[in-house]
Amino acid sequence: MGTASNPQTCDECEGTVFNLARDPFLQRQYPFVAESVLKMCASCGAKYLACKNCGALLTRLNLWVDVHSVRDTCPVCGWQNPQITKWIA
């Protein structure tokens, strides 16, 4: 989910352009995706959940993500997603 200096870059390719995405597989796999905005990197296709408060990249998602690689707090505004926090616990 970006670098320390710019958390709004793709951690796969360092891309900075993201488009809205819809992924029914991720929606079925993770309950917190269905009610959230999903963004996809225009360069490589990596998918990220957007912060509901400010729209920043909150955490990267894929079908093989585990609880240790998911972030529940926005690096930009500090908003915490309660659904992700519950899923991590």
Side-chain angles (χ1 to χ4, degrees), residues 1-9:
M1 289 79 52
T3 62
S5 62
N6 185 359
Q8 296 307 296
T9 59

Side-chain angles (χ1 to χ4, degrees), residues 46-57:
K47 293 181 182 151
Y48 295 84
L49 204 62
C51 174
K52 287 184 180 180
N53 189 47
C54 71
L57 301 180

Side-chain angles (χ1 to χ4, degrees), residues 12-59:
E12 184 71 28
C13 71
E14 298 184 11
T16 57
V17 177
F18 296 89
N19 301 313
L20 294 178
R22 187 175 179 283
D23 190 320
F25 295 111
L26 288 177
Q27 288 177 333
R28 283 194 295 269
Q29 182 75 18
Y30 307 110
F32 50 84
V33 174
E35 298 175 12
S36 301
V37 174
L38 197 61
K39 292 184 177 181
M40 183 173 66
C41 176
S43 298
C44 72
K47 293 181 182 151
Y48 295 84
L49 204 62
C51 174
K52 287 184 180 180
N53 189 47
C54 71
L57 301 180
L58 178 63
T59 192

